């Protein structure tokens, strides 16, 4: 049996409502949600009930009626700044190739000389963290519903990490 781990900000559903008296069911429905109105059956508890989060970011989204294979969904501020930065970088490299090459060579040498220890250390910390996580109580934590089966076996999934 999988035990529930309470997380802050999430309302956990009760583990089981079967065989309980109607008064308790009414209280549970008022606290954790109502019966499914289409089938009049009790929803199956599946771990946590997440409160919906309203997306308030400004986005431009093409409607379903727009013909063509591309469906646009982007934030104009982030996209505009990214395009501007990339175009400026390309123009600088095309207009002053010697200066760009010299700058990149100097940056590569400085980064390699000063930050190699940081790269090696961060990879060691990451590997140790993954090993500790694997052998801790979170190593057997199931991501998904209780009745869900993995799409791929562990060996295939591990192979896809490095493919």
């Amino acid at each position: 049996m999988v035990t529930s781990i309470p997380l802050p900000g999430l309302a956990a559903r009760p583990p089981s409502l079967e065989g309980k008296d109607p008064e308790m069911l009414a209280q549970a429905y008022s606290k954790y949600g109502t019966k499914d109105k289409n089938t009049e059956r009790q929803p199956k508890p599946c771990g946590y009930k997440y409160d919906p989060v309203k997306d308030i970011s400004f986005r431009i989204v093409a409607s379903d009626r727009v013909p063509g294979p591309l469906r646009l969904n982007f934030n104009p501020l982030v996209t505009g700044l990214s395009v501007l930065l990339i175009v400026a970088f390309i123009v600088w490299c095309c207009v002053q190739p010697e200066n760009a090459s010299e700058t990149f060579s100097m940056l590569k040498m400085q980064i390699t000389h000063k930050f190699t220890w940081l790269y090696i250390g961060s990879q060691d910390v990451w590997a140790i963290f993954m090993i500790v996580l694997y052998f801790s109580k979170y190593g057997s934590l199931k991501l998904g519903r209780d009745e869900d089966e993995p799409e791929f076996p562990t060996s295939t999934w591990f192979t896809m990490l490095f493919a």
Side-chain angles (χ1 to χ4, degrees):
M1 178 176 181
V2 179
T3 59
S4 298
I5 301 169
L7 298 175
L10 300 177
R13 289 184 174 217
S16 175
L17 296 177
E18 296 176 23
K20 306 296 182 188
D21 61 82
E23 195 171 305
M24 187 201 150
L25 287 176
Q27 289 174 352
Y29 286 137
S30 66
K31 184 175 181 181
Y32 297 106
T34 60
K35 289 185 180 180
D36 186 354
K37 291 176 178 42
N38 295 332
T39 59
E40 287 300 321
R41 63 179 173 83
Q42 176 181 330
K44 186 170 185 180
C46 61
Y48 297 104
K49 176 182 175 185
Y50 294 94
D51 295 330
V53 178
K54 184 178 179 184
D55 184 10
I56 57 171
S57 62
F58 175 69
R59 294 190 172 279
I60 296 176
V61 180
S63 72
D64 292 336
R65 292 176 275 168
V66 176
L70 299 177
R71 300 279 186 238
L72 302 175
N73 180 4
F74 62 91
N75 185 320
L77 178 65
V78 173
T79 304
L81 289 175
S82 300
V83 167
L84 185 67
L85 185 65
I86 292 169
V87 168
F89 178 76
I90 291 171
V91 167
W92 175 61
C93 289
C94 290
V95 171
Q96 298 180 342
E98 296 84 17
N99 187 9
S101 177
E102 183 180 312
T103 302
F104 291 139
S105 296
M106 188 263 313
L107 284 174
K108 179 182 174 187
M109 185 178 64
Q110 288 293 324
I111 291 170
T112 305
H113 180 69
K114 303 240 183 227
F115 294 107
T116 301
W117 66 270
L118 180 64
Y119 176 75
I120 293 172
S122 66
Q123 297 309 304
D124 292 343
V125 168
W126 177 250
I128 291 169
F129 172 73
M130 295 304 290
I131 291 169
V132 168
L133 188 66
Y134 182 78
F135 288 109
S136 72
K137 66 180 180 179
Y138 300 109
S140 61
L141 183 67
K142 186 170 188 175
L143 302 176
R145 294 192 173 122
D146 292 338
E147 68 273 3
D148 287 346
E149 292 296 322
E151 187 175 351
F152 301 102
T154 304
S155 59
T156 304
W157 179 82
F158 188 75
T159 303
M160 287 189 288
L161 285 175
F162 301 102

